[in-house]
Amino acid sequence: MESSRSRSVFVDIGLRELNGFRVRKRPFFPDSELTCREFTGVSVEHDGIRTPPLAVSFCKTSRNSQLFAVSDEDGHVSMFNSSKKFASSATHQENTEKARFRDWIAHYNAVFDISWIKGDSCLLTASGDQTIKVWDVEENKCTGVLIGHTGTVKSMCPHPTNSDLLVSGSRDGCFALWDLRCRSSSYKEEHCINSTDMVKGAHLSPLSKRIRRRKAASSSITSVLYLKDEITIATAGAPDSALKFWDTRKLKVPFAQASPQSDPTHTKEKGLHGIVSLSQGSSGTLLTASCKDNRIYLYNTLQLDKGPVQYFSGCRIDSFFVRTMISPDGEYVLSGSSDGNAYIWQVNKPHVDPTLLKGHDFEVTAVDWSPSEIGKVATASDDFTVRLWNIENNRCSNANSTASAPRVKRRVTALSNSEAKEILEMNREAESPQKHSLLSSSSDDNQSMPIIGTPESKKKKTSSSSSLSSLSSSSEEDTICERTPETTFNSPSSVLNPPSSVKRRTIRDYFLVTP
C-alpha cells in the first residue's frame, strides 16, 4: 500500500511537469482613488479686513519646505509656516495668527504672481502696477524694481538654472527678458532694472488689424514659462488657444506653435478659447495648458507638431485666474476650478474621473505642490482662505504586500511543456563525460534566477540534502552530484526545473525517496 501511494504521488508530480498545472495568480492591486485630507487652512486678512489671495508658492529648498508665501489683491505678501500644530477646532483666523510669521506691503496694487529664487533667499512679485520687485526675504527689503511693461504683469518664470534671469508676460501683449545683474538707475532708493529684450504683440487677435482700439484682453499674455532646456520660452495668451515657443537667441518670430485646433489661424473668432495658465513637469518634456473651454491640454515639447497628446476635463475655467500645476514627479495634474473645488488627474489615465478636493466656498484660483514634501498641496480661493491638503494613494498601504509579489512570481515560474520533455529525455539518455561537461556549462549560463534565502538556510539545505543522499547513494555518487550545477538549486523552484544530472534521471531520484 505504501509503495502504491508513493508511486501515485510521483506520477502526479510527473504529470504536472509534463502537462503543466494551474498556479494561483498573485493578487493584483489596481490603482485606487487618491485620499485627500485637509489638515489646515489659513485666512488671508490684514487688520481684520479679508482679501482674496491671487498666488501661492511653496519654498523650493528642502530645508524650507514647510514655508509658503501668499500674495493677495491688496498688494500684501504673507509667509506661513505649515509645520505648526493646528487644533482641529481652530478657526482659519486663529491658524493665521499662529502660522503667519511675516507680512508686508509689496505693492500698492494686486500681486498676481510670486516666485522663489536664489535658494529661497529672494522672492519675486509681479503686480498690477506694471512692475516686478525683487525682495530680500531675510532682510525684508526690496533690492530691485523691474520696469518696462505698460500693463499688468500677469506671469513670470525664472531661468531653470540661473536665478538672475527671468521672463515675464503682461497684459500689454509683450513678454520681456530680464537680467537682475543689470542696474539701470535708482529711484527712491530702489534699483531700477530695464529689460534686456522685449517682444511686442506676441499674441494678437486675428481681428486686431480691423479694430483700432483693442481691448487689453485682445492681446494679453496670460502665462510664460522658461523651459528646462534653458533656451526656449513658452508663451500663451488670452486671444487664442495657441502656444508659441521662442528661442531666446532669436526672438523675432516663434520657431514652433501648438494648438488644440488643427489650424488656429483659420478658425472663427467665436471658436477660439484663451489659455489661462501654463505649467511644466520637472523634466521639461510635459507641458500643460489650461484653456477657457474647460479643458487642460497636455503637450509633449518634443512632438509639438502632433498637437496635444491628451486632455483632462471635469473642471470649470470661467476666469483667467484659475491655475494648473503638474506634480513634482510628473504623475498628477492639479487644477483650480470656478465651481469651488480643486481637481487632480492621473497623467497616464486622463479619462478616469478626477479626484475632488472639496472645502472651498468660491472659485479656487492658485494651486501649488510642495516640491519636497510629497503629497502636500496648497489651494487658494476667493473665499479668502488658503488650505493645505495631504494627498495619499492607497497603493502605499499595500506596499508591503506587493513588494514580495515579484519574488513569489519567480518561485513559481515553470518551463514550457516542450522544454520539460526535452530535459527529461536528455536525462534518460546515456551521456559521455564530454557531453556531460557541455551540458553543465550550458546550464551554468542559464542560471539567471537568484537564490532566495539566508546563508543559514542554505547551510541547512546543504546538510539535509547530503544526509539524505548518504542513505541512497555512495560517496562517489555524492561527489559527482556536488560537482553538477544542480547543487546550486537549493530552493523549491528546482522542482519545476528537473536536473540534468546523469544520476538524477527522474523526479523520484530528485526527492531521494525509494518507492
Side-chain angles (χ1 to χ4, degrees):
M1 291 294 293
E2 295 178 357
S3 60
S4 62
R5 288 179 180 176
S6 60
R7 279 195 294 270
S8 64
V9 171
F10 289 109
V11 169
D12 292 338
I13 297 177
L15 292 176
R16 291 178 180 179
E17 290 287 343
L18 296 177
N19 301 326
F21 61 95
R22 302 177 67 180
V23 180
R24 187 182 66 176
K25 295 182 179 180
R26 65 184 179 91
F28 173 72
F29 298 97
D31 292 339
S32 55
E33 294 184 357
L34 297 177
T35 302
C36 305
R37 181 180 62 88
E38 178 188 345
F39 66 91
T40 191
V42 295
S43 177
V44 182
E45 60 179 20
H46 311 281
D47 299 328
I49 301 175
R50 298 193 299 173
T51 180
L54 297 178
V56 58
S57 179
F58 282 99
C59 288
K60 305 307 178 184
T61 59
S62 58
R63 68 177 183 273
N64 299 324
S65 60
Q66 74 279 6
L67 306 180
F68 66 95
V70 178
S71 66
D72 57 48
E73 199 172 58
D74 289 343
H76 287 257
V77 174
S78 304
M79 296 184 62
F80 297 86
N81 188 348
S82 63
S83 63
K84 298 291 185 178
K85 294 183 179 180
F86 302 96
S88 58
S89 59
T91 63
H92 292 151
Q93 289 78 9
E94 293 174 348
N95 291 338
T96 300
E97 295 176 359
K98 188 175 184 179
R100 186 169 61 185
F101 63 93
R102 189 166 298 174
D103 178 52
W104 72 94
I105 299 178
H107 299 262
Y108 292 99
N109 206 316
V111 178
F112 290 93
D113 199 7
I114 54 178
S115 181
W116 294 96
I117 60 173
K118 299 184 181 297
D120 299 334
S121 63
C122 294
L123 184 69
L124 298 173
T125 57
S127 173
D129 62 6
Q130 307 176 3
T131 66
I132 300 174
K133 289 187 178 182
V134 185
W135 294 91
D136 188 326
V137 179
E138 297 177 355
E139 298 183 4
N140 197 18
K141 70 175 183 178
C142 179
T143 60
V145 181
L146 283 59
I147 58 175
H149 282 296
T150 58
T152 298
V153 184
K154 287 281 295 182
S155 175
M156 61 184 173
C157 182
H159 191 276
T161 58
N162 189 348
S163 298
D164 290 318
L165 305 178
L166 71 143
V167 60
S168 63
S170 171
R171 282 180 177 170
D172 58 10
C174 307
F175 73 89
L177 298 179
W178 311 84
D179 191 338
L180 302 183
R181 295 165 296 188
C182 300
R183 305 285 180 176
S184 300
S185 60
S186 296
Y187 176 72
K188 292 183 180 181
E189 299 181 355
E190 292 180 343
H191 297 282
C192 297
I193 303 173
N194 293 328
S195 62
T196 58
D197 207 339
M198 180 175 291
V199 176
K200 299 181 180 180
H203 290 264
L204 292 177
S205 172
L207 299 179
S208 60
K209 296 181 179 180
R210 305 176 186 176
I211 303 175
R212 294 182 178 180
R213 295 182 179 180
R214 298 190 301 267
K215 295 182 180 180
S218 64
S219 61
S220 173
I221 292 182
T222 56
S223 186
V224 293
L225 286 178
Y226 224 129
L227 299 190
K228 301 298 182 180
D229 61 2
E230 305 180 7
I231 298 175
T232 305
I233 290 175
T235 62
D240 54 26
S241 54
L243 290 179
K244 294 185 179 181
F245 297 86
W246 312 75
D247 191 330
T248 55
R249 299 165 296 185
K250 187 178 181 181
L251 289 173
K252 293 183 178 180
V253 293
F255 70 87
Q257 184 169 330
S259 176
Q261 287 82 15
S262 57
D263 190 1
T265 59
H266 294 82
T267 307
K268 294 183 179 180
E269 178 72 12
K270 63 180 181 180
L272 296 177
H273 301 277
I275 292 180
V276 178
S277 70
L278 301 175
S279 69
Q280 61 179 328
S282 57
S283 62
T285 304
L286 297 180
L287 186 148
T288 63
S290 55
C291 192
K292 286 293 292 292
D293 62 356
N294 299 326
R295 289 183 176 182
I296 300 171
Y297 296 95
L298 183 69
Y299 293 87
N300 187 338
T301 56
L302 303 178
Q303 299 175 347
L304 295 174
D305 55 334
K306 297 183 179 180
V309 295
Q310 60 194 31
Y311 66 88
F312 310 93
S313 60
C315 64
R316 270 178 45 204
I317 305 176
D318 296 339
S319 71
F320 284 96
F321 297 96
V322 178
R323 299 191 182 183
T324 303
M325 290 291 293
I326 303 179
S327 63
D329 57 6
E331 294 186 2
Y332 300 97
V333 174
L334 169 67
S335 176
S337 178
S338 300
D339 59 6
N341 301 319
Y343 290 76
I344 298 179
W345 295 267
Q346 297 185 48
V347 171
N348 58 350
K349 295 183 179 181
H351 301 298
V352 176
D353 293 338
T355 301
L356 271 66
L357 279 64
K358 298 181 179 180
H360 289 289
D361 298 327
F362 298 104
E363 182 180 68
V364 177
T365 53
V367 295
D368 194 25
W369 296 83
S370 174
S372 301
E373 300 183 22
I374 300 175
K376 180 183 285 189
V377 168
T379 58
S381 172
D382 285 347
D383 61 4
F384 314 112
T385 64
V386 175
R387 308 195 182 194
L388 300 181
W389 311 75
N390 277 330
I391 312 298
E392 296 180 356
N393 195 318
N394 291 338
R395 289 181 301 175
C396 298
S397 60
N398 299 324
N400 295 332
S401 59
T402 58
S404 59
R407 182 178 297 178
V408 175
K409 185 176 181 180
R410 264 192 272 179
R411 287 180 180 175
V412 299
T413 302
L415 297 176
S416 62
N417 295 339
S418 59
E419 293 176 347
K421 289 180 181 180
E422 291 178 0
I423 294 178
L424 289 176
E425 291 176 358
M426 292 174 63
N427 291 337
R428 292 191 181 98
E429 295 178 357
E431 299 176 343
S432 62
Q434 181 179 3
K435 183 178 181 180
H436 176 71
S437 61
L438 292 176
L439 183 61
S440 300
S441 61
S442 63
S443 62
D444 286 334
D445 296 337
N446 295 330
Q447 294 179 12
S448 60
M449 183 185 301
I451 301 174
I452 303 174
T454 59
E456 291 77 7
S457 62
K458 295 178 183 179
K459 292 180 181 179
K460 292 180 181 178
K461 291 180 181 180
T462 306
S463 60
S464 59
S465 61
S466 60
S467 60
L468 289 175
S469 61
S470 62
L471 299 177
S472 58
S473 60
S474 61
S475 59
E476 182 179 358
E477 292 176 344
D478 293 340
T479 305
I480 296 176
C481 291
E482 290 176 358
R483 293 176 181 176
T484 58
E486 288 73 29
T487 56
T488 60
F489 284 21
N490 293 326
S491 66
S493 60
S494 57
V495 176
L496 305 180
N497 296 309
S500 58
S501 173
V502 178
K503 299 302 178 180
R504 295 178 179 175
R505 298 179 180 178
T506 63
I507 300 177
R508 184 186 298 109
D509 294 331
Y510 172 79
F511 283 98
L512 302 175
V513 178
T514 57

